Amino acid sequence: IGIGYEGLRSYLKRGLLGKSGLMPPLVSKDSPAPDQSAVRASWKRFGFTDLCLMRLAKQLVDMVLSFDQANSIVSNEEMRALFSEGSATTDAVVMCWPPFQEYMVFVGEERRYLADHLAQANGTALVIELKAIAQTVTSKLKEIRNEGVSAL
């Protein structure tokens, strides 16, 4: 995903992905709910969707968004739904306005409105193709698998 081990660990401790993708725990009505504030920091393995969202967060931070801005985008459950096992929703793009901490997702036919929104943004918007993120993650996973096979 383009983040080293220590950087990823730091991002997770800061709340990367928030509670996105976590199932709420089942507790009885008389039991206190467990604290899930640091659940992500203890994970050892991540799914394809998690990796794509982490890669998207990295790109957003690299493109001048703050960690909190990027995290608010990738922690949204709607973003998680755009990625499926091994690919991203066809023709989905995310457009962000860094100074205003806003973003929009354009999927399929909605992309026809992207040019209008870009014109209104006066050159201050970022546009990221989600399919490219999924392809990058898939490619890196294949490289890792091939390295593991060749080491055997």
Side-chain angles (χ1 to χ4, degrees):
I1 59 173
I3 303 172
Y5 169 74
E6 289 299 323
L8 178 59
R9 193 166 163 220
S10 173
Y11 277 12
L12 292 171
K13 284 183 179 181
R14 290 174 64 191
L16 181 64
L17 301 182
K19 295 181 181 177
S20 174
L22 292 178
M23 299 237 355
L26 299 174
V27 294
S28 69
K29 66 179 182 176
D30 297 327
S31 300
D35 177 22
Q36 291 188 301
S37 60
V39 171
R40 291 270 180 194
S42 64
W43 277 15
K44 303 291 186 226
R45 301 181 93 180
F46 299 97
F48 176 79
T49 301
D50 296 312
L51 295 174
C52 288
L53 292 171
M54 289 176 193
R55 175 72 182 166
L56 176 58
K58 167 80 165 94
Q59 283 192 333
L60 292 170
V61 168
D62 287 350
M63 295 177 154
V64 306
L65 267 68
S66 70
F67 172 83
D68 291 331
Q69 289 172 314
N71 192 34
S72 70
I73 293 170
V74 301
S75 294
N76 188 315
E77 282 295 326
E78 292 174 31
M79 291 300 297
R80 175 171 288 280
L82 293 172
F83 292 98
S84 62
E85 194 63 36
S87 66
T89 301
T90 306
D91 295 332
V93 297
V94 175
M95 179 179 158
C96 308
W97 294 271
F100 307 110
Q101 299 186 13
E102 295 178 8
Y103 74 97
M104 291 182 78
V105 177
F106 298 87
V107 181
E109 290 294 316
E110 295 171 352
R111 285 187 67 158
R112 66 182 172 192
Y113 304 114
L114 179 60
D116 294 335
H117 286 281
L118 285 171
Q120 292 173 358
N122 294 325
T124 60
L126 306 170
V127 177
I128 298 176
E129 292 270 354
L130 297 185
K131 189 167 196 146
I133 299 244
Q135 289 171 339
T136 299
V137 169
T138 299
S139 173
K140 294 291 183 183
L141 287 171
K142 285 180 182 177
E143 283 179 28
I144 291 169
R145 286 186 190 123
N146 290 339
E147 287 174 7
V149 169
S150 64
L152 295 175

